[in-house]
Structure formats: structure tokens, C-alpha cells
Amino acid sequence: MASSDALLPISAGEEDPLSPYTQLSDGSRSDPNLEAHRRRRPVKGLLAVSFGLLFIASYVALIATHDGSRSNDAAIETDETAAKTSRARLAGVSEKRNYQFWKLSGDRNTPAFAWNNSMLSWQRTAFHFQPEQNWMNDPNGPLFYKGWYHFFYQYNPNAAVWGDIVWGHAVSKDLIHWVHLPIAMVADQWYDANGVWTGSATFLSDGSIVMLYTGSTDKSVQVQNLAYPEDRNDPLLLKWVKYSGNPVLVPPPGILPKDFRDPTTAWKTSAGKWRITIGSKINRTGISLVYDTTDFKTYEKLDTLLHRVPNTGMWECVDFYPVSKTAVNGLDTSVNGADVKHIVKASMDDTRIDHYAVGTYFDSNGTWIPDDPSIDVGMSTSLRYDYGKFYASKTFYDQNKGRRILWGWIGESDSEDADVQKGWSSLQSIPRTVVLDTKTGKNLVQWPVEEIKSLRLSSKKFDIEVGPGSVVPVDVDSATQLDIEAEFEIKKESLDKILGDASVVAEAEEFSCEKSGGSSVRGALGPFGFSVLADKSLSEQTPVYFYVAKGKDSKLKAFFCIDTSRSSFANDVVKPIYGSVVPVLKGEKLTMRILVDHSIVEAFGQGGRTCITSRVYPTNAIYGAAKLFLFNNAIDATVTASFRVWQMNSAFIHPYFEEAVHALSRT
Amino acid sequence: MNMIKKMKMMVMVMMMVIVSEGSMIEQTCKETPDFNLCVSLLDSDSRSSSADISGLALILIDKIKGLTTKTLNEINGLYKKRPEMKRALDECSRRYKTILNADVPEAIEAISKGVPKFGEDGVIDAGVEASACERGFKGKSPLTSLTKSMQKISNVTRAIVRMLL
């Protein structure tokens, strides 16, 4: 173990003459001998001084080259500051409780769990987008063109873990029934040799498409590249051409070569130029850089940033778009005006959470400020598209139906060994429409695209009153592919009684789904909801529920949660409790929608004000053994549930073959 | 006299370098859950002296790879000695092969290319697979010290990979 103690044996054996030189370098002490030497032999002194400077210079040079990721400032002071900053940053990272040690659940003596093929193959979804095999991550360049919705995605053609990334490609007429197409772009140029990473599409005024994407060069520098369809007349956009002058953007001064990725769709400025933004960071401050261009080949970087938030770390997959304050349709990315707010969204590398904020865009200098700085992008309190597993999301304007559509990458929550065994990893969320919540004005509302209803088969309607502490089996035959829409009401007598009862303690201020202990912990007014993917004995279950809590002001607050802690006996899967407060306005009933599709559960509270996606891997509650239950775990309150459950068909996502494509183009 | 002073200057510079490199490893290891393990792993590797944080992470991933190979050899040897443990050994063998063939390459690629979060996933998973393997023996594991090592190295490596985010 190296330490300064190791030096003592060496220095102790040396004569004193060493010390004048050390004193010379730090300058804090003077050596009278040296002074005497200087007076008597000035040349010697000059030599000593120059050695001292040489020493300082070589010390600095060695520090500078070893600390490879920092900039080369010559002065020692700056290096000390850099060292202090990095120590502080290291301390900051470890102090931040933004991750916990991943421990296998259960104690050491819990019997271990071995996956079998039956359990693993059940996990594959019926109607969520996923490639036939291997790893997928970020959605890329979604767009609608000549009658087809196009979806591109980060794909590993070789393994069920991240790596060797290329652009996968698929098309659909309705965002639900997909046909896989050949890989759109591979890593075949020096400027994307180490990865064809995330990017976005822009439609030019003449209707042609440009694609900007991040390439990881052969030296692992992150650059932005331009690509476009080889054949404008091919509605399938099978082949893509990379601009011969790539890269069009390289990391600017002050930005590190690995902190420059995920360019957005461009929007028109009032000056008639195109503008894009790219996420990055400076130390621990997350930022979004802004560039203007007329031809997508040469760019001017603005001096201003679109936005920055300290202590948020690297901003990945930045998205920037307008939303209408009054209407429920989507807006083209270039729309601006008095009727419009702008959303800035970023994916936080540190926490794997997508955050967004509502604010105002200033076109004159390309900046944006949030309406509510206390919930600015990336802060722990800021809004999220989704309170579960949902990352690297991206929206696009669907000019076909005038909607803004959101895609989100849903990773696995199991072990990589299971992914390797089953041969695949990751899903995409069902595409969601995104609009500003015109009732609150402060948050977005998301909802699965209407087209998903085409998968609905038979349904059953229920009206059930559920007393406190009861569980009701819901008879729906198969329960692994479901669409549930439900309305809940706490009986007025229960509400009045609890609000009037002073002994019922206010808990809304402290409550959080994550820390609540889950759906088995009973409160006065909750939890109540559905247990999905539950076996008959409820030994495995995934509750999706409301928890209504009394606040200090005697007002009620509603929380919407998914508790995966008992979703599986397996102890090598992650089983969090997810959720958030959900705004409930006066006169509104509590509503939820749940999409169950094998190993994914997507839930939408209050019409999509609060959304939660979770991955679950039951071992018993699979195939015919999976059931649906309604439950009310409140201590005193009775709840009425009015709901409909649809069986959902498979989307029959096709592998690529030409006949399949022709079949779809005839519809 | 001049010559001796020159020599002493050189020695001073070299010692300052050694001290500062020790400090770099120490500073980095302080932010991990197992300082002693971290330092001993890095000090034992000559590449550490000229590595930045990415480099240190890659060195530790190499240690994970070495430990994985060692454990796989141990598992292979146990089939003959403990035939009654075949099922658990099969499970471990598969899981450790995942560490070797999936986790380690994923982590190396991700860290080298500047997307450390995928490296973090691979490193965490190495610990998960080791724990799952251990549990397969229902308390009678012949691999405990190896699996515990993997869990510890995984935790230390993860802490260092997080510094790259």
C-alpha cells in the first residue's frame, strides 16, 4: 500500500541538503544557508532556482498527463482546485442517495431460484414493441412518412446485453402492428465506428427527411452526423445514406469528448434558421447546448444554453417541444406563440430517470426558463413522464393525426443471465400521446394511442363494492394480456367519518409510495386497486393502487403506486415500489387504466397525469395460473369500483419478409 | 555537488509522482465501500499508476474477469468431488459464463466508449450472478469465498464506475 510513509526510509537516509530544495518549491521557508550560498556563489543559486522551477514544471506536467480527463492548466493552484473539485465531486456522488446497493432479496437462507424455459418464454410480450431477439435501448428518429410510422432503435445484433450498437428499424400503419425491417444504419464509418447512437429526424419544408445522430468515432469521441434516406420515393425508407462531410458537429471547447450526444429534432426560429439542442454537462451541471443551421451541414453554436441545472449530472436524450395551452392536439416542433408553452425534458444519466418541466422559450436567444424553478428539470422533486422503469424517451410530431407521440425505453429488471437465457432484453412502452394538462396547466398528460383499442377482444363489465380489508377475484379467464379501465369512489360515509376523526393522523405530507412498505400496509383510506399477475393464493401478485391520505389541512391527497415487492418468488430480480402523488381535481372520481402484457405492466392514473411502468417476472402467476383481483386494504373505508376488463390480442409483430410488408401496405 | 543535487532533484520528482499516484488511488478508493480491497486490487496492478478513473475501472473489471475464470475452473473441478451438487454447479457455471461473456464485455465497451451507465449494469450484474450462484447451494456452498469476493469487487467497481457518470 503506497503512502507517504514509504518515503521516510529514503529521505531519512539522505543528508539535510535535500531540504533547501523542498523549501524552495513551496516557498514557505527560507534557508539561511542557501541565502549565504547565493551571496557567495550566485551561479549556484541561479541553478538551484532553475532546478526548483524545473521540478515544479515536471510535477505539473506529470499531474496533468495522469489526470487525463481534466484540462491542462499549468499552474499548481489550478491543479489543486481541480483535485479538490474532483474529491468534492467524488464525495458528492457517494453522498447522493441516488442508488442503493443491489442486493438479492430475501436472506441468505432463502432458497435460490432457477429459471426454466417455460417461465422465461412467458415473459415475452404480446403487444409491446420488441425486436425478435437481442438487446434494444433508446428509441431513435421516430417519424411518419408516406403512410407509415417509422421506428428506429438502438440495437445490438450480437447479444442480449448492450454493445455493438446499430440502428434497428420497423414500420407500422398504426403504431401497434409492426413489421421488422433490415438494420437501417451500421457502424461502418470512422465517425461512428464505435457506435451508431441516438438521434432524431427533422422534416424540411419540402417534406424531405434529415436525420441527425450521434456517432462514437474510432477514437471514442462523440460527434453528430447527418444521414438521409437514399430513396425519397421508398415509403419504407429501407436505405440510408450518411453525408460525406460527416461529422457535422464535434464537441465544442469546454465540453468533454464523451459528454456530447443525442441531438434533437430541429425547429424553425423566427429568423428562418433551424435550431437544435444537445445535452451535455460541465462538471456536475447538466446543460443543453444550442446550435443554429440552415443546411444541417454547418452550424453556429449559440453562446447561450437552452437551459442548465446544477447538480443534475449529464443530460442524455434531451427533448424540446411546444405544447398547446388550450387545445388537446399535438403541435409541430416549430410552433411558437402566445398559446404555447415549451417542454424541456432530459434523461438523467446519474439516476436513470426522465424528467421534464413546463416553461417559456425565448426564440431571440434560444433560452428557456421553467414556470416553477423549484421543480426544474432533473431535480429530485421535478416531474417525470413515468414513475417506474422508463428512460431515454423521445417524442415526435405525428403530422398524420396531429398528435405528439412519446416513446420510452423500458429495460429489464432481471439478471443478465436470464436475458442471455431467454435471448432478449428490453421493450418499448406503448406509444403515448402527450399534451399539456389544460386543467392544471402545470403537468403533461399521457395516454396510450387510440390505435391500441384495435387489440381489444372480449370484455366484461363490473360494479363491485369492496369492504375494508377484502380481496375479490375478478373472473376474466386469461389474465396476462389485459386492458383495464376503472373508476373508484370512496363511500361518502367513510370519507366523512375519517375526515372528521381527529385521531386519524395526517400522513399525506410524509407519504411516498416507495417508502410506504407497499400495498400490504393499511391506511385509513387505502390502499385499494387491482392485483395483477397474481396467482390463486396471491403468493405472487403485483398491486396497482391508489392510496388516499389525509393531509394536515384536512384535505385529501391521492397517491398512485405499483408494488412489485411480491411480484415474484425469484430473488435475482429487482422489485421496487413505484409511484407518485396524483392530482385529483374537484368533482373527479379516481380513475386508472392498466395494460397488462406478460412481464410489463403500464398504469395510468387520473387519465394519465401520473404514469407508472413496471417489469415483473412471476414464477407461478404465469400462463393460465395468472389471475386478476380487486382489493381494498383500507382499515375502515369502503370503496366502489366500476370497471371494464378487455382481453387483448397479440400485435403479431412480424419478422421482416416482403410479403408481410406488402400485406400491411394494402390495409 | 551540483551533480548530486541534480540527482536528488530527480529522486524528489519521482517520489512526488509515486506519492501523488498513491493519493489518486487512495482518493478514488475512499469513495468506494471497501477502501482496503480497492487499494490492494489497484496497487497490485502496474497499469494503475498511469490510469485515470476510467482506466482504474477497467483494471477492476479485468480483476472481475480473472476471478470469474478462476471460479469457473473451481466449479469444473467440483463436479467430480461433489457430484451431488451437480444442479447447483450447473446453475453457477451458467451464471459465471454470463459474467464472462456478457457482463465483462459490456462493461469494457461501455466504459471505453464513454457511456458508463451500461458498464454499471454489467458490473452490478456480476455481483447478482455470484449471489444467485451462492444461493443455489442452500447454505452448503463450496464456493462461498469466491462468490463473496465477486460481490465485494462488484460493489467497489460499481462505485468507481459511478464516478464516470
Side-chain angles (χ1 to χ4, degrees):
Chain A
M1 186 154 28
S3 70
S4 47
D5 293 336
L7 291 176
L8 289 177
I10 304 167
S11 54
E14 292 296 327
E15 303 163 71
D16 244 37
L18 252 186
S19 43
Y21 294 93
T22 33
Q23 288 162 30
L24 199 72
S25 67
D26 70 18
S28 58
R29 283 175 285 162
S30 66
D31 182 359
N33 288 338
L34 190 58
E35 298 288 321
H37 283 315
R38 261 192 187 142
R39 269 182 262 115
R40 275 185 275 138
R41 292 180 219 175
V43 175
K44 261 247 167 86
L46 208 56
L47 220 47
V49 170
S50 47
F51 265 120
L53 292 172
L54 179 66
F55 163 75
I56 293 169
S58 46
Y59 179 86
V60 167
L62 284 158
I63 296 290
T65 50
H66 284 131
D67 199 6
S69 60
R70 306 253 167 264
S71 60
N72 287 318
D73 291 315
I76 281 190
E77 286 89 68
T78 318
D79 273 308
E80 280 174 352
T81 321
K84 275 196 211 117
T85 314
S86 77
R87 262 177 265 134
R89 179 175 76 79
L90 298 181
V93 170
S94 59
E95 278 164 331
K96 258 201 279 195
R97 285 192 81 264
N98 54 25
Y99 74 101
Q100 294 182 337
F101 286 112
W102 203 118
K103 284 199 170 80
L104 287 200
S105 55
D107 59 33
R108 264 179 307 140
N109 296 321
T110 313
F113 194 78
W115 293 101
N116 63 38
N117 283 333
S118 172
M119 293 166 187
L120 291 175
S121 51
W122 175 88
Q123 292 173 10
R124 207 169 159 86
T125 66
F127 55 87
H128 281 75
F129 182 84
Q130 55 181 122
E132 298 165 74
Q133 56 181 1
N134 294 340
W135 166 278
M136 163 174 68
N137 54 292
D138 304 5
N140 296 155
L143 58 96
F144 178 84
Y145 184 70
K146 289 195 190 298
W148 293 94
Y149 287 97
H150 286 259
F151 182 67
F152 303 89
Y153 55 97
Q154 298 282 279
Y155 178 61
N156 185 345
N158 302 322
V161 295
W162 181 89
D164 295 344
I165 296 293
V166 299
W167 272 39
H169 186 191
V171 288
S172 169
K173 285 284 183 177
D174 64 358
L175 292 166
I176 297 293
H177 296 87
W178 295 91
V179 176
H180 292 298
L181 294 182
I183 289 174
M185 291 200 286
V186 297
D188 59 2
Q189 302 295 325
W190 69 267
Y191 50 77
D192 59 18
N194 276 321
V196 189
W197 291 350
T198 293
S200 311
T202 304
F203 279 95
L204 303 183
S205 338
D206 64 355
S208 61
I209 297 165
V210 291
M211 194 74 83
L212 280 174
Y213 71 96
T214 299
S216 181
T217 69
D218 53 359
K219 305 265 186 315
S220 292
V221 176
Q222 294 170 12
V223 299
Q224 315 313 322
N225 302 311
L226 173 64
Y228 39 86
E230 183 183 85
D231 178 5
R232 284 185 63 163
N233 295 314
D234 173 18
L236 295 184
L237 301 175
L238 285 174
K239 296 217 190 303
W240 289 77
V241 170
K242 296 175 185 175
Y243 168 53
S244 57
N246 278 334
V248 294
L249 278 173
V250 299
I255 297 296
L256 295 174
K258 296 184 170 126
D259 292 342
F260 186 61
R261 54 187 183 270
D262 315 331
T264 62
T265 294
W267 63 94
K268 267 281 174 73
T269 65
S270 45
K273 292 190 185 164
W274 289 104
R275 180 168 286 170
I276 61 166
T277 188
I278 303 178
S280 183
K281 67 172 155 102
I282 294 178
N283 296 322
R284 301 309 297 160
T285 297
I287 65 171
S288 202
L289 303 160
V290 187
Y291 291 87
D292 281 1
T293 181
T294 50
D295 58 2
F296 289 86
K297 295 172 179 171
T298 57
Y299 295 77
E300 331 152 22
K301 178 173 162 300
L302 270 59
D303 290 328
T304 47
L305 299 170
L306 181 70
H307 197 49
R308 62 192 284 281
V309 181
N311 294 317
T312 52
M314 176 71 188
W315 284 12
E316 304 191 287
C317 301
V318 169
D319 199 2
F320 177 74
Y321 56 89
V323 287
S324 171
K325 292 203 294 203
T326 50
V328 289
N329 49 281
L331 299 174
D332 180 280
T333 315
S334 296
V335 168
N336 200 357
D339 247 6
V340 150
K341 302 279 337 174
H342 276 81
I343 304 294
V344 168
K345 168 260 166 186
S347 293
M348 300 298 143
D349 201 16
D350 281 5
T351 57
R352 318 286 181 89
I353 294 174
D354 280 5
H355 288 284
Y356 74 89
V358 185
T360 306
Y361 167 60
F362 299 96
D363 187 68
S364 53
N365 64 355
T367 60
W368 170 96
I369 55 168
D371 287 348
D372 185 350
S374 71
I375 49 167
D376 205 347
V377 182
M379 297 173 135
S380 58
T381 46
S382 92
L383 295 170
R384 307 183 194 182
Y385 279 140
D386 192 293
Y387 290 84
K389 184 110 177 150
F390 190 94
Y391 193 67
S393 59
K394 185 181 288 297
T395 65
F396 75 103
Y397 177 62
D398 167 15
Q399 72 275 27
N400 183 38
K401 293 194 170 172
R403 312 178 277 192
R404 181 154 291 269
I405 308 259
L406 171 71
W407 283 95
W409 165 43
I410 318 294
E412 299 295 310
S413 299
D414 63 358
S415 72
E416 291 189 17
D417 183 59
D419 298 341
V420 168
Q421 265 192 285
K422 70 194 190 191
W424 60 272
S425 174
S426 296
L427 309 168
Q428 297 292 330
S429 61
I430 294 296
R432 304 171 183 178
T433 52
V434 185
V435 292
L436 187 67
D437 187 344
T438 49
K439 296 188 184 129
T440 64
K442 293 182 183 177
N443 54 274
L444 296 172
V445 165
Q446 305 154 59
W447 198 244
V449 291
E450 280 298 293
E451 291 92 328
I452 199 180
K453 290 182 178 168
S454 69
L455 296 177
R456 288 174 167 176
L457 298 168
S458 58
S459 70
K460 280 187 175 172
K461 195 173 188 315
F462 302 86
D463 282 280
I464 302 179
E465 189 174 280
V466 198
S470 12
V471 181
V472 180
V474 180
D475 178 20
V476 284
D477 304 320
S478 176
T480 56
Q481 291 169 211
L482 301 175
D483 186 356
I484 305 172
E485 285 191 328
E487 220 172 62
F488 290 88
E489 223 180 336
I490 303 177
K491 288 196 86 172
K492 191 175 184 306
E493 304 86 74
S494 310
L495 270 177
D496 289 340
K497 179 165 162 242
I498 283 146
L499 281 172
D501 185 347
S503 72
V504 175
V505 164
E507 52 169 341
E509 287 73 22
E510 279 81 51
F511 185 87
S512 79
C513 298
E514 302 94 319
K515 301 195 188 112
S516 63
S519 62
S520 55
V521 178
R522 309 181 66 185
L525 296 168
F528 56 87
F530 292 94
S531 252
V532 303
L533 296 172
D535 64 344
K536 230 174 20 184
S537 58
L538 290 162
S539 59
E540 285 184 336
Q541 55 170 312
T542 302
V544 180
Y545 58 98
F546 286 109
Y547 187 91
V548 179
K550 186 170 154 182
K552 289 202 174 89
D553 51 3
S554 280
K555 289 219 185 104
L556 295 174
K557 226 173 172 182
F559 295 83
F560 186 55
C561 322
I562 296 186
D563 176 4
T564 73
S565 63
R566 287 167 297 153
S567 58
S568 175
F569 282 121
N571 50 29
D572 60 345
V573 299
V574 181
K575 296 181 277 190
I577 302 169
Y578 298 118
S580 169
V581 69
V582 56
V584 179
L585 303 179
K586 204 176 161 97
E588 285 181 358
K589 293 212 173 107
L590 291 169
T591 64
M592 66 164 80
R593 184 173 180 187
I594 311 174
L595 293 172
V596 180
D597 186 6
H598 297 262
S599 61
I600 184 170
V601 178
E602 280 188 75
F604 302 83
Q606 287 318 96
R609 279 200 192 115
T610 296
C611 308
I612 313 171
T613 302
S614 61
R615 300 301 309 279
V616 290
Y617 308 93
T619 64
N620 287 349
I622 61 177
Y623 299 110
K627 308 280 173 215
L628 177 67
F629 291 86
L630 179 67
F631 76 95
N632 174 10
N633 227 6
I635 296 170
D636 275 319
T638 296
V639 160
T640 55
S642 197
F643 59 100
R644 191 182 277 274
V645 183
W646 285 266
Q647 291 296 325
M648 293 295 269
N649 202 357
S650 166
F652 300 112
I653 297 177
H654 284 301
Y656 176 60
F657 59 101
E658 294 201 40
E659 286 83 68
V661 173
H662 291 143
L664 279 184
S665 32
R666 274 181 248 119
T667 59
Chain B
M1 200 49 182
N2 225 0
M3 209 39 214
I4 294 170
K5 281 189 180 171
K6 265 192 214 176
M7 294 294 290
K8 284 174 183 170
M9 279 302 302
M10 292 302 165
V11 172
M12 276 292 293
V13 170
M14 278 160 48
M15 289 184 330
M16 294 303 293
V17 169
I18 293 166
V19 173
S20 70
E21 290 319 316
S23 295
M24 156 76 154
I25 292 178
E26 281 172 11
Q27 288 303 333
T28 307
C29 289
K30 261 189 205 148
E31 307 303 328
T32 72
D34 194 334
F35 177 80
N36 290 332
L37 175 64
C38 176
V39 172
S40 73
L41 287 169
L42 291 173
D43 271 356
S44 68
D45 195 305
S46 59
R47 295 168 290 179
S48 301
S49 57
S50 53
D52 58 7
I53 297 182
S54 273
L56 295 179
L58 288 169
I59 290 166
L60 290 179
I61 288 163
D62 208 35
K63 302 292 177 200
I64 288 177
K65 186 175 177 189
L67 179 58
T68 302
T69 307
K70 182 176 174 188
T71 310
L72 279 166
N73 289 337
E74 182 69 19
I75 291 169
N76 284 336
L78 282 168
Y79 277 106
K80 279 225 177 84
K81 293 182 218 160
R82 314 294 299 270
E84 75 280 10
M85 290 182 160
K86 184 182 187 303
R87 275 188 75 182
L89 289 170
D90 282 345
E91 182 73 9
C92 285
S93 176
R94 205 196 60 241
R95 288 189 181 265
Y96 270 81
K97 281 179 184 152
T98 294
I99 301 176
L100 193 61
N101 299 325
D103 298 343
V104 166
E106 176 184 40
I108 292 172
E109 184 175 348
I111 288 162
S112 317
K113 294 180 181 180
V115 273
K117 70 168 177 291
F118 297 114
E120 185 185 11
D121 286 348
V123 165
I124 292 172
D125 193 65
V128 170
E129 305 302 354
S131 301
C133 157
E134 178 71 11
R135 293 224 190 169
F137 295 99
K138 301 183 191 180
K140 295 183 177 154
S141 168
L143 296 170
T144 304
S145 87
L146 287 168
T147 58
K148 275 206 170 7
S149 260
M150 184 63 86
Q151 287 159 30
K152 288 184 185 166
I153 298 179
S154 158
N155 287 339
V156 165
T157 309
R158 181 201 186 169
I160 294 184
V161 173
R162 282 204 66 81
M163 297 172 196
L164 299 168
L165 290 174

